[in-house]
Amino acid sequence: MAGLGTWSLTRVVLIVLLLPGSLAECGHISLSDSIVRLGDPVTASCVIGQNCNHLDPESEILWKLESELQPGGRQQRLPDGTRVSTITLPHLNHTQARLSCCILWGNSLQILDQVELQAGYPPPTPYNLSCLMNLTTNSFICQWEPGPDPHLPTNFTLKSFKSRGKCQTQEEPIQECVPEARQSHCSIQRKHLLLYQSLVVWVQAENALGTSLSPQMCFHPIDLVKLEPPTLGTLDPSPEGAPAQPDCLCFHWESWKPSLYMEQKCELRYQPQLGEASWALVTPLPSRTLHHKLCGLLPATAYTLQMRCTRWPLPGHWSDWSPSLELKTTERAPIVRLDTWWRQRQLDPRTVNVQLFWKPMPLEEDSGRIQGYLVSWRPSGQVGAVQLCNTTELNCTFHLPLEAWEVALVAYNTGGNSHPTSVVFMESRGPPLARLHAVARDPHSIWVGWDSPSSQPQAYVIEWGLGPPSPSGSNKTWRMEHNGNITGTLLQENIKPFELYEITVTPLYQDTMGPSQHIYAYSQEKAPSHAPELHLKHIGKTWAELEWVPEAPELGKSPLTHYTIFWTKAQKQSFSTVLNASSWNFVLRGLEPASLYHVHLMATSRGGATNNTGLTLMTLALDESELHILLGLFALLLLLISLCGAAWLCCSPRKNHLWPSVPDPARSSLSAWVPTIMAEETFQLPSLRDPSMPPIAKITVLEEEEKKPGPWESSDNSGTCGVPTLVQAYVLQGGPREASTQPQPQSSTNDQVLYGQVLESPTSPGPGHYLRCDSTQPLLGGLTPSPKSYENLWFQTSPLGAPVSPSPSQEDDCIFGPLLDFPLLQGLRIHGVEGMGGF
């Protein structure tokens, strides 16, 4: 399908370009110049002949540059019927473009003619022309730089001719040499040249816009000869010769055979095979010697060597660098100083065990590789030495006779042995250090210092390793300080945090040494390992005495700064106190009897704090007699509080909360104490008959002992009526109540209230007698001052819900007459008196 689509598109394009067939012969484009400088203007004309009469004479001729329509075409018609369209492109900025003359045919644009436009620059001048005579290929080769691209096809030609003298005259031209496309070198065969005759050479560059020539060169071909590089090889060492020096390399070379009879000079360059090392140059090397010894190199190092040659003293070109030759220098004997230290232990009266340690200290930047170490001892009276150790380690253990006091130590490799180091086992007879101290600088270093002894040492040996419980002498590190004037050094090798180290310092003198002194120090101090155990010495009901045994000072740790005792009750109540580090006992006070306590001790130093396992104790319980005393005291206290409360309730003028709120008659006025009257309890009272009646608060109706008519029997005497046997009531002081629907405010209980007693007999003709009383007892014991309607027998409810009182009878008048003088009687309910249902 893809191929079919491509074929169809091609067919359509051909139809557009070729149909109708006569259109291809109608138009013709003529140019002012088809190749111009880039950016210059171009003028083009399109002519449509008179034989194209089938075209619409009014159709316009259009121009296209590549795919863009170009405006500005000028249309004209000649007398013979020919139509001409001319266009000028002001700036041609395309190095290569197609210009088309078109006409609108139907609904499509038809191309009448098409031309190719090219734009570029004249050829630049070639430069850097150089030539050489290659004796291997017998050709004269020249090369040059073509310069920037002119964007136009450019042809280069190597031109030359033979000359005499200083190339002032041209004699015989030499065949021109045209390089291959896009090549900038060309070769002239040896047969066209004379090696000792002057030759003039130059390069010509040419394109559609012009021609340029390079500067001419004048020379003899023999002066431009380039030799082939020599061949390098290795020299085999002679059996009888001296051993090779560790910093030298010996090699030889062979010159190119055609140049054997030429005077030459050569250059050598070498490079160590060590990363990004650069080349080093050695010049000149005479070619006649054909061998060379290169010294000053690194021992045991591989090198790469290359060599090149040229004619000398005559002019010529350097040959290329020869193929590489790789050689390796031999090792040199180690150049080191061996610092030594030892430990001795006598095994029996004639033999001693020696543990020898050493450290290689390089004396040069490249001191040589060390393959191993040899320890030897030369017995007195013997010529040869006895080998004690041959090891690659930095220590060795061996046995020696008790009288042996010196051994020799050397380092070796394939290049030989280092200078021997004499190890003399000196006796400890020098003065000791005055004082030794150590402190941790950080978790990975310890500073150890000392006071200089009385005699100035030559050096110091410092040893350090893990302290107890590590085995003594295991994995110890040591170092020798050769400056005897120092009074301290920083230890950083093999130091780990939170570890105890044993540090030993020994002064070394001219022929002896001082006694070793040691100290323990932590690289970073930890908290104490454990705190003392608490013991209960004595205990009581409210106290407990504790004691403990202080721990011995730990190696390398700072002393304790203080103790802290914590005790906790079962209810999680915690207490603590701080004691100084010299304390060994403490008494806990203020405890509760028969209580459980948990106690623990914390020991604190500069490195931290540690708790012990703790102690649990229980205080003693109280005795029975003590318990009785406490209960008695508690009962006495409770009684005292009760009495105080009762006195306060009785004597306090404030409101009493133990009984209903009733005003004190002696301290308040009944006229001001009016209970709240609800709307549904409002009723009318008859007015008092005697407004001048003194205020009376209590009445008592007494019955005569002699027999009399029934209390509710009628009598002819309308002025007299029966009364209940005993009626006690309380009335409000004040005027007659008026009918009101508004609630009355209650008066303060502090107003004075007076009591009154009424004595009256049913047969007595006169009015009742009133007796005044100043009692302060409560008036109403629990009765509501304002009774509800259902508590009064004479109240009835009307159909409308308002309370109404029944119309009183004659007896009711007798009852209400005197009693309604006391308003409080309205709230009384009299029990035990028959015939008073209406009361």
Side-chain angles (χ1 to χ4, degrees):
M1 294 297 294
L4 180 59
T6 304
W7 179 87
S8 301
L9 180 61
T10 306
R11 184 177 180 184
V12 170
V13 172
L14 290 177
I15 292 173
V16 170
L17 294 179
L18 300 179
L19 291 181
S22 58
L23 289 180
E25 302 176 358
C26 285
H28 173 71
I29 297 177
S30 59
L31 295 173
S32 58
D33 199 342
S34 61
I35 300 177
V36 297
R37 292 178 65 96
L38 194 63
D40 285 357
V42 176
T43 300
S45 298
C46 182
V47 179
I48 299 178
Q50 57 184 355
N51 56 347
C52 297
N53 50 15
H54 56 278
L55 294 177
D56 185 2
E58 300 300 328
S59 60
E60 184 182 3
I61 301 175
L62 302 177
W63 293 91
K64 287 179 63 177
L65 184 64
E66 291 296 333
S67 60
E68 296 181 2
L69 288 174
Q70 301 295 319
R74 299 186 301 275
Q75 310 284 335
Q76 61 179 340
R77 183 182 295 275
L78 299 180
D80 59 356
T82 302
R83 287 190 296 169
V84 179
S85 176
T86 304
I87 190 173
T88 300
L89 302 177
H91 304 286
L92 183 59
N93 295 323
H94 300 272
T95 58
Q96 191 171 3
R98 290 183 179 182
L99 183 63
S100 304
C101 174
C102 307
I103 194 171
L104 191 61
W105 182 268
N107 294 329
S108 61
L109 196 64
Q110 300 296 327
I111 297 176
L112 300 179
D113 196 9
Q114 197 173 58
V115 293
E116 190 81 19
L117 297 180
Q118 288 184 319
Y121 300 101
T125 301
Y127 63 98
N128 282 351
L129 176 61
S130 62
C131 301
L132 59 89
M133 186 66 195
N134 192 327
L135 298 180
T136 304
T137 59
N138 281 325
S139 59
F140 187 76
I141 304 173
C142 293
Q143 61 182 8
W144 60 90
E145 295 292 337
D149 185 10
H151 304 294
L152 293 175
T154 303
N155 298 321
F156 294 91
T157 304
L158 179 64
K159 294 178 175 291
S160 60
F161 61 85
K162 298 176 183 178
S163 180
R164 296 286 181 179
K166 296 182 179 180
C167 302
Q168 298 298 324
T169 60
Q170 179 179 354
E171 292 188 354
E172 180 182 352
I174 301 176
Q175 182 180 359
E176 296 179 352
C177 180
V178 178
E180 297 180 4
R182 298 185 180 180
Q183 298 292 331
S184 58
H185 60 83
C186 197
S187 300
I188 301 176
Q189 294 299 317
R190 165 73 175 79
K191 61 183 179 180
H192 302 298
L193 303 175
L194 295 176
L195 294 179
Y196 296 95
Q197 186 179 6
S198 297
L199 184 66
V200 178
V201 178
W202 73 95
V203 177
Q204 174 182 298
E206 184 180 8
N207 64 14
L209 297 181
T211 302
S212 62
L213 302 176
S214 69
Q216 293 183 348
M217 293 181 58
C218 180
F219 48 79
H220 292 154
I222 193 62
D223 294 336
L224 302 179
V225 170
K226 179 180 179 180
L227 303 179
E228 290 295 321
T231 302
L232 295 178
T234 304
L235 282 178
D236 296 328
S238 58
E240 65 277 0
Q245 294 178 299
D247 61 342
C248 293
L249 288 176
C250 296
F251 61 95
H252 72 95
W253 67 88
E254 295 180 1
S255 299
W256 181 47
K257 291 182 178 180
S259 63
L260 290 177
Y261 304 102
M262 295 182 182
E263 292 291 335
Q264 304 177 31
K265 69 174 180 180
C266 299
E267 287 181 347
L268 174 70
R269 67 177 184 180
Y270 62 93
Q271 179 186 41
Q273 297 179 3
L274 299 175
E276 301 294 331
S278 59
W279 291 94
L281 189 63
V282 178
T283 185
L285 294 179
S287 61
R288 295 296 182 183
T289 57
L290 301 181
H291 60 82
H292 185 68
K293 186 177 183 179
L294 181 63
C295 294
L297 307 177
L298 298 176
T301 305
Y303 283 86
T304 300
L305 286 74
Q306 288 182 335
M307 193 173 180
R308 67 177 183 176
C309 299
T310 185
R311 285 180 42 174
W312 187 84
L314 299 176
H317 287 278
W318 282 101
S319 66
D320 295 329
W321 288 105
S322 66
S324 298
L325 173 66
E326 293 184 0
L327 297 177
K328 186 175 182 180
T329 55
T330 59
E331 284 189 314
R332 71 166 73 177
I335 306 176
V336 293
R337 183 192 73 230
L338 297 174
D339 290 341
T340 58
W341 183 239
W342 69 91
R343 298 193 190 102
Q344 287 183 330
R345 181 171 57 88
Q346 188 170 351
L347 300 178
D348 53 54
R350 301 182 57 183
T351 308
V352 63
N353 178 273
V354 180
Q355 191 175 12
L356 181 64
F357 306 91
W358 58 86
K359 279 188 176 182
M361 309 300 294
L363 299 179
E364 296 181 3
E365 184 178 356
D366 183 21
S367 59
R369 184 175 61 95
I370 297 177
Q371 285 184 304
Y373 300 91
L374 286 174
V375 181
S376 59
W377 170 59
R378 188 185 300 275
S380 59
Q382 293 187 12
V383 178
V386 178
Q387 181 174 305
L388 301 176
C389 291
N390 184 358
T391 179
T392 58
E393 304 295 331
L394 297 178
N395 60 83
C396 177
T397 302
F398 49 86
H399 295 166
L400 282 178
L402 189 61
E403 64 273 9
W405 57 277
E406 182 181 7
V407 294
L409 173 66
V410 296
Y412 67 89
N413 60 17
T414 56
N417 296 338
S418 66
H419 293 292
T421 299
S422 178
V423 183
V424 179
F425 305 115
M426 299 178 292
E427 296 182 1
S428 180
R429 294 178 300 181
L433 298 175
R435 187 175 70 94
L436 187 63
H437 54 89
V439 62
R441 285 288 180 88
D442 55 61
H444 297 279
S445 65
I446 299 177
W447 171 264
V448 56
W450 56 84
D451 294 343
S452 299
S454 57
S455 179
Q456 184 67 41
Q458 289 186 339
Y460 296 95
V461 174
I462 301 97
E463 295 180 274
W464 66 94
L466 293 176
S470 299
S472 178
S474 62
N475 297 326
K476 281 204 170 185
T477 306
W478 67 279
R479 186 172 75 206
M480 180 176 289
E481 296 288 348
H482 292 273
N483 184 4
N485 295 323
I486 65 173
T487 57
T489 184
L490 186 64
L491 308 180
Q492 294 177 296
E493 185 180 359
N494 296 333
I495 300 294
K496 298 179 181 179
F498 302 108
E499 295 289 349
L500 177 64
Y501 287 90
E502 180 183 5
I503 304 171
T504 305
V505 180
T506 306
L508 302 180
Y509 299 94
Q510 178 66 33
D511 296 320
T512 184
M513 66 180 184
S516 300
Q517 294 189 12
H518 67 272
I519 190 174
Y520 293 92
Y522 273 90
S523 55
Q524 187 171 357
E525 187 175 346
K526 296 188 292 187
S529 300
H530 48 272
E533 293 294 330
L534 286 174
H535 301 282
L536 181 63
K537 187 175 182 180
H538 299 291
I539 192 168
K541 302 178 182 64
T542 60
W543 61 274
E545 183 179 0
L546 306 174
E547 65 178 1
W548 61 89
V549 178
E551 298 289 338
E554 297 185 63
L555 288 176
K557 290 188 177 180
S558 59
L560 299 180
T561 57
H562 62 272
Y563 293 106
T564 305
I565 291 184
F566 300 87
W567 65 96
T568 305
K569 196 177 176 183
Q571 289 80 7
K572 304 300 181 182
Q573 297 176 347
S574 298
F575 309 91
S576 65
T577 186
V578 179
L579 308 174
N580 57 43
S582 61
S583 302
W584 57 272
N585 65 346
F586 184 71
V587 178
L588 304 179
R589 301 187 184 279
L591 307 181
E592 296 183 5
S595 298
L596 189 67
Y597 288 89
H598 180 71
V599 188
H600 69 270
L601 180 68
M602 183 175 71
T604 305
S605 70
R606 189 174 60 185
T610 303
N611 295 333
N612 65 359
T613 55
L615 176 67
T616 301
L617 55 88
M618 175 174 281
T619 53
L620 300 180
L622 295 175
D623 296 337
E624 185 176 356
S625 59
E626 295 175 340
L627 184 60
H628 292 166
I629 293 174
L630 289 178
L631 291 177
L633 292 176
F634 178 74
L636 184 60
L637 180 62
L638 184 62
L639 178 61
L640 182 60
I641 292 173
S642 300
L643 292 177
C644 291
W648 178 81
L649 292 174
C650 293
C651 301
S652 175
R654 295 178 298 175
K655 184 177 180 180
N656 198 329
H657 296 280
L658 299 181
W659 45 75
S661 178
V662 177
D664 187 354
R667 299 180 183 271
S668 61
S669 175
L670 281 175
S671 62
W673 182 61
V674 180
T676 303
I677 302 299
M678 302 306 294
E680 64 272 15
E681 297 177 353
T682 303
F683 57 90
Q684 297 290 334
L685 289 178
S687 63
L688 297 177
R689 291 171 173 77
D690 190 359
S692 62
M693 183 182 298
I696 294 180
K698 177 180 180 182
I699 63 172
T700 303
V701 181
L702 300 180
E703 182 183 13
E704 293 183 355
E705 295 181 357
E706 55 188 298
K707 189 175 180 181
K708 53 186 177 294
W712 303 106
E713 292 180 357
S714 61
S715 176
D716 296 338
N717 188 2
S718 62
T720 58
C721 61
V723 295
T725 302
L726 178 63
V727 177
Q728 290 187 354
Y730 300 91
V731 297
L732 295 174
Q733 177 65 37
R737 258 200 231 190
E738 298 177 359
S740 175
T741 60
Q742 300 295 328
Q744 302 297 324
Q746 293 185 358
S747 173
S748 172
T749 59
N750 294 332
D751 296 341
Q752 187 176 10
V753 179
L754 300 180
Y755 282 67
Q757 187 176 32
V758 181
L759 299 179
E760 182 178 8
S761 172
T763 59
S764 58
H769 301 281
Y770 301 89
L771 298 181
R772 191 177 184 86
C773 180
D774 292 335
S775 173
T776 59
Q777 292 299 320
L779 295 177
L780 300 178
L783 293 178
T784 303
S786 300
K788 303 297 180 179
S789 60
Y790 56 78
E791 295 179 354
N792 297 279
L793 302 179
W794 63 86
F795 282 105
Q796 301 297 330
T797 303
S798 67
L800 298 177
V804 296
S805 60
S807 58
S809 64
Q810 184 65 29
E811 293 180 355
D812 297 336
D813 293 338
C814 294
I815 295 301
F816 282 95
L819 293 182
L820 289 180
D821 290 340
F822 306 97
L824 274 182
L825 292 180
Q826 302 170 12
L828 294 179
R829 184 177 183 183
I830 302 174
H831 299 277
V833 180
E834 302 181 7
M836 295 185 66
F839 185 71

